[in-house]
């Protein structure tokens, strides 16, 4: 399998409903809850890409461009966008949809960096020699 195919197959999409128990006093999704969801989707994408143990080492520039109201559907999309020796970057975008309309827009975007680890928690190459 070539690298582009591996990236395509590791793309991760998760849909959720925003319920009132996940919102703040403005009736919009808590930023911390959004970050947690994004980190989870990024982890799944990184793991699907490497099929190795991965851990988050950083999150970079999380942009909240539109509020996410209670009673909406969100889609989180995680995509591997950069591959290093033992690390990779995963971009996660959150799209918000109104439940009873066709309107959809990107609301949040951010980057997460992961490191692949062996069974002794030491960094290992994210790509096997067959893919490089």
């Amino acid at each position: 399998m070539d690298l582009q195919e591996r990236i395509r197959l590791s793309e991760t999409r998760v849909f959720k409903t925003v319920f009132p128990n996940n919102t703040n006093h403005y009736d919009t999704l808590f930023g911390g809850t959004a970050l947690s969801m994004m980190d989870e989707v990024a982890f799944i994408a990184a793991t699907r890409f490497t099929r190795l143990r991965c851990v988050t080492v950083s999150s970079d520039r999380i942009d909240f461009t539109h509020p996410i109201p209670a009673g909406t559907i969100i889609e989180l999309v995680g995509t591997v966008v950069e591959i290093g020796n033992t690390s990779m970057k995963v971009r996660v975008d959150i799209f918000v949809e109104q439940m009873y309309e066709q309107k959809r827009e990107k609301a949040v975007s951010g980057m997460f960096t992961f490191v692949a680890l062996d069974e002794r928690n030491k960094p290992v190459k994210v790509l096997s020699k067959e893919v490089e």
Side-chain angles (χ1 to χ4, degrees):
M1 171 183 330
D2 74 356
L3 185 57
Q4 290 308 312
E5 180 72 359
R6 193 167 170 178
I7 289 170
R8 187 185 68 75
L9 291 173
S10 67
E11 183 177 87
T12 301
R13 294 174 176 270
V14 173
F15 289 87
K16 295 190 173 281
T17 304
V18 179
F19 291 108
N21 63 324
N22 287 322
T23 63
N24 57 29
H25 58 291
Y26 299 113
D27 273 343
T28 59
L29 184 66
F30 277 118
T33 302
L35 285 170
S36 176
M37 292 176 185
M38 292 172 79
D39 186 37
E40 182 178 356
V41 167
F43 165 77
I44 293 168
T47 302
R48 292 179 73 205
F49 177 78
T50 64
R51 296 300 174 177
L52 297 168
R53 295 174 52 193
C54 294
V55 294
T56 308
V57 293
S58 72
S59 59
D60 306 313
R61 185 156 180 123
I62 309 299
D63 293 316
F64 295 85
T65 54
H66 295 287
I68 301 174
T72 56
I73 298 167
I74 58 172
E75 179 185 17
L76 297 99
V77 181
T79 308
V80 174
V81 294
E82 190 177 315
I83 303 155
N85 188 32
T86 61
S87 65
M88 76 215 83
K89 288 189 183 244
V90 179
R91 185 186 69 245
V92 179
D93 297 314
I94 300 179
F95 297 90
V96 61
E97 299 178 13
Q98 300 302 317
M99 279 201 196
Y100 310 110
E101 300 174 17
Q102 291 297 320
K103 185 178 176 188
R104 172 185 165 93
E105 63 186 344
K106 189 188 309 187
V108 184
S109 191
M111 233 19 140
F112 295 80
T113 303
F114 286 81
V115 169
L117 301 175
D118 66 13
E119 59 281 344
R120 295 182 317 277
N121 292 331
K122 301 293 182 204
V124 295
K125 287 187 173 211
V126 297
L127 293 175
S128 63
K129 293 191 187 320
E130 304 87 56
V131 178
E132 296 176 330

